[in-house]
Each structure stands twice: as C-alpha cells, then as structure tokens.
Amino acid sequence: MNELNVVVDAAKAAFERAGTPADLENAKAQFLGKTGRVTELMKGLAALPVDEKKSRGAAINQAKQAIEDALNARRQALAEIELQAQLQAEALDVTLPGRQRGAGGLHPVSLTLERIEAIFGSMGFAVAQGPEIETDWFNFTALNTPEDHPARSMHDTFYVEGGSAAAPNLLRTHTSPMQIRYAVQHVKKHQAAIAAGSMPEIRVIAPGRTYRVDSDATHSPMFHQCEGLWVGENVSFKDLKYVFTDFCRTFFESDDLVLRFRPSFFPFTEPSAEIDIQFQSGPLAGRWLEVAGSGQVHPNVVRNMGLDPEKYIGFAFGMGPDRLTMLRYGVNDLRLFFDGDIRFLSQFQ
Ligand code: DAH
C-alpha cells in the first residue's frame, strides 16, 4: 500500500476511535497539527528534485483533503450522537396525565353575599364595610340599648381589651352599628345640603361577620349578617316591604314566594317586625321561615345619627346570609359552612 494511503487510513481509524469532540481534536493534531504527520510529509517536499515536487505535492494534498473530509464526517457524527443523547435524557412522555391544579371557588356564603350586594346594588343601595371590633357605644348605646337594657343579654358577646370599663370594646353582635357609623358619615358629607333642607337619601347595606356566644346546628359563635338602612323624608313601611319582597324573589329566583311582617321588638326600631317568607312550591313549601328583623328606625337612633327625627324617617333591616344560604341550597347544618371540608364546599362551584 502506498505510504500516503497508510497515513490516511491511520487518521480515519484515529478519528473513529475518538469518542468525544475533545478526543477528536487531539487526533486531528496528530495528523494536521504543526508537528503532525501530514505537516511532516509537506516539509519532506523541500528535499525533492523539482520535477518530483509537483506530483508528490499533489498526492500529499489529496491525502490531506481525504483526512480533512474524514475529520468533518466524524465531527458531524459526534454532534449527532451528542444530540441524540441529549434528546433521550430530556425526553418527555407526553402521554402521561398532566399535573392538575383544582380550580378554587368562592365559599357558598360569599356567593350569597355577592348576590345580596348585586341585588341591593341594582336598587340603588351602597355597600359599606365596618369594624368587627366595636365599641359599646356603636353596638348598643347608640342603638337605643343602654346599659342594663334586657335586650343586651340576648347579645352575649366576647369582650376584648382596649376599651375602658365604662365603654368596653367587644366583637360586634350584629351589623346594626353600621347604621350609625354610615349615617354619621353621610350627615357629615352632606352637611350643606342638610342645612339647606334637602339631604340625599341614605340607602345602604352593610354585610359582614358578627359574633355571639352561641353554638349549635343553627348557631355559630361567628356568623354573618347584612344590615340595610334607608332614611329620607318620605320613606315608609310600604317601601321596605316592596324592596324586601323584590329582594327575596330575586334572591330565591321565585315569584310565588310570599312575605309576612310579624310584629316583634328591637330597641332600635319602633314599630319592629320579623320578616318571614313562605315558598308556595318546592321542598320548603308551606312553612314560614324567618329571614330578617326590621322596623322603623327609632327616633333616638335617628338623633344619634345626627338627624332630626321630626324631619327624617327611616327603615332598617338585618338579615342572616348564612341562613339564606342554607335555604337556597337546602343545607341543614350551619356548621358545614365553617368546617372547611372540601367535599362539601366544592359542591357550590
Ligand atoms: N340587629 C338585629 C339582630 O341581630 C336584627 C335587626 C332587627 C336589624 C331589626 C335591624 C332591624 O336593622 O331593624 O337581632
């Protein structure tokens, strides 16, 4: 075999043995590098007579070209091997089921609160939020429930640090303190209009959490209420009746639902009434279900709002969103709302 072919074969074999790009570069140096075998052959040309130089030079160049071709082929092969290895290492099994994140949803009572806000909102009621830690003044006294009033004992609550002995802080037992808080702000804001004898009506609902020392299937120490207040110069019981009937029918999506205003007592309203509803069809048909307390705002309360009870008259109501939720969905134990059991809660999504 021709000496040049031996060199070419040796180079091809060396390139083939190279398992990595670094090995291949080392092998290349042995043949094409400064002291490589092809380079040495080139140097040998100098000693040849002129007529031989030409043909020998052409032969060496051919051998060099063959070696370079083999080198490039091996480079490509190694790159291909590397790519395949990488693809295999990072292989994704697209047939595996994806990782799922359960979609969250709103709590059934939150759904009810949103519904209440939307319905009253459409009737021109603003929505107000107030503190859950209240003062004795807003929770009781301003609502015509002075100390020693027997109605206070029905509102046994949690007293918290921070107030004085005469005016302790407490967790609000109802949302009614928002009547005073909201009205006082309204009066402040519309001072000029009031002085001129034309106050824009107060029309607000105040949903939120409330607290009492109470715990069984229909009472929870923490529960929800939604207060409503409507005060103006010409607001009457008829308006309350109309608005509340409309609310109940929209809320329960039922037109054959009747309301009953049953005389009752609350210190902050006179006269006072419990509002009962009765479905004419469906699983609850025929039973009277209590859904709210209501009444004409007591003159003392109107005065505590900063308004003249001779000029301004109002109606208020307080309802229980927890109970409305139970009635709407047919839930019979209030505690289910506060246990945080996903199996129960996910049924409302
Ligand atoms: N605050 C009362 C309660 O928790 C409910 C209530 C009754 C609210 C009559 C009112 C009302 O606004 O007019 O028992």
Side-chain angles (χ1 to χ4, degrees):
M1 198 194 282
N2 168 328
E3 176 212 0
L4 291 178
N5 286 344
V6 172
V7 175
V8 170
D9 284 350
K12 283 182 175 169
F15 294 163
E16 216 51 50
R17 276 195 306 274
T20 67
D23 289 347
L24 186 60
E25 292 315 304
N26 283 337
K28 173 196 164 188
Q30 284 173 32
F31 294 91
L32 303 173
K34 260 191 210 153
T35 57
R37 286 169 68 180
V38 175
T39 318
E40 293 301 323
L41 289 169
M42 290 290 199
K43 284 181 189 159
L45 279 180
L48 292 180
V50 179
D51 53 338
E52 270 181 48
K53 257 187 197 164
K54 207 174 167 195
S55 61
R56 177 71 175 167
I60 295 174
N61 269 337
Q62 228 172 25
K64 189 180 172 193
Q65 189 60 52
I67 291 171
E68 278 173 351
D69 289 349
L71 177 69
N72 283 334
R74 186 61 184 156
R75 271 190 184 139
Q76 261 180 26
L78 283 180
E80 181 68 17
I81 289 169
E82 194 175 43
L83 179 65
Q84 288 304 330
Q86 194 182 356
L87 286 176
Q88 221 161 40
E90 296 171 5
L92 279 183
D93 183 350
V94 294
T95 66
L96 282 174
R99 255 173 244 156
Q100 306 210 346
R101 254 192 214 207
L106 288 178
H107 189 280
V109 174
S110 300
L111 293 173
T112 293
L113 293 174
E114 282 196 344
R115 235 175 130 67
I116 293 172
E117 289 173 18
I119 297 169
F120 278 104
S122 76
M123 296 192 271
F125 281 72
V127 178
Q129 303 272 341
E132 289 169 30
I133 296 178
E134 259 303 358
T135 61
D136 190 80
W137 164 258
F138 284 112
N139 198 78
F140 291 122
T141 315
L143 291 166
N144 200 34
T145 317
E147 215 176 328
D148 301 328
H149 194 289
R152 283 197 180 207
S153 63
M154 285 162 66
H155 286 220
D156 200 3
T157 188
F158 303 94
Y159 287 83
V160 295
E161 291 174 351
S164 65
N169 283 343
L170 46 87
L171 295 183
R172 65 179 178 186
T173 59
H174 50 179
T175 45
S176 302
M178 281 306 291
Q179 290 188 30
I180 308 288
R181 285 188 179 273
Y182 187 86
V184 163
Q185 288 221 328
H186 184 92
V187 166
K188 215 163 139 188
K189 197 163 133 193
H190 298 286
Q191 242 163 4
I194 293 167
S198 62
M199 179 188 78
E201 283 190 351
I202 297 175
R203 223 179 288 163
V204 68
I205 59 165
R209 278 186 283 269
T210 45
Y211 303 83
R212 279 183 214 179
V213 183
D214 237 351
S215 188
D216 59 39
T218 51
H219 297 90
S220 152
M222 187 285 293
F223 58 105
H224 296 86
Q225 275 200 350
C226 181
E227 197 74 11
L229 179 67
W230 186 358
V231 177
E233 286 177 48
N234 285 305
V235 189
S236 76
F237 229 115
K238 178 189 74 194
D239 298 311
L240 171 71
K241 216 166 165 177
Y242 172 77
V243 159
F244 212 84
T245 302
D246 206 34
F247 163 73
C248 289
R249 291 185 175 159
T250 310
F251 183 86
F252 288 108
E253 296 165 274
S254 164
D255 278 339
D256 58 355
L257 182 157
V258 294
L259 275 77
R260 174 173 80 177
F261 286 71
R262 181 164 40 86
S264 184
F265 172 81
F266 298 101
F268 34 89
T269 45
E270 180 58 34
S272 305
E274 306 267 5
I275 307 177
D276 302 333
I277 61 170
Q278 190 188 73
F279 295 97
Q280 304 305 295
S281 57
L284 296 167
R287 281 169 53 197
W288 284 109
L289 308 158
E290 188 186 317
V291 291
S294 67
Q296 182 185 320
V297 180
H298 194 286
N300 286 348
V301 176
V302 175
R303 214 168 279 124
N304 288 334
M305 291 172 174
L307 292 171
D308 176 4
E310 295 297 324
K311 184 170 168 71
Y312 294 102
I313 186 166
F315 290 84
F317 54 87
M319 58 184 154
D322 304 326
R323 185 157 165 73
L324 291 179
T325 311
M326 290 171 79
L327 292 174
R328 176 150 191 253
Y329 296 110
V331 174
N332 55 18
D333 192 329
L334 176 71
R335 289 168 293 200
L336 286 165
F337 290 144
F338 308 119
D339 285 346
D341 187 331
I342 293 293
R343 290 170 304 176
F344 172 72
L345 296 175
S346 60
Q347 295 177 64
F348 300 90
Q349 304 317 318

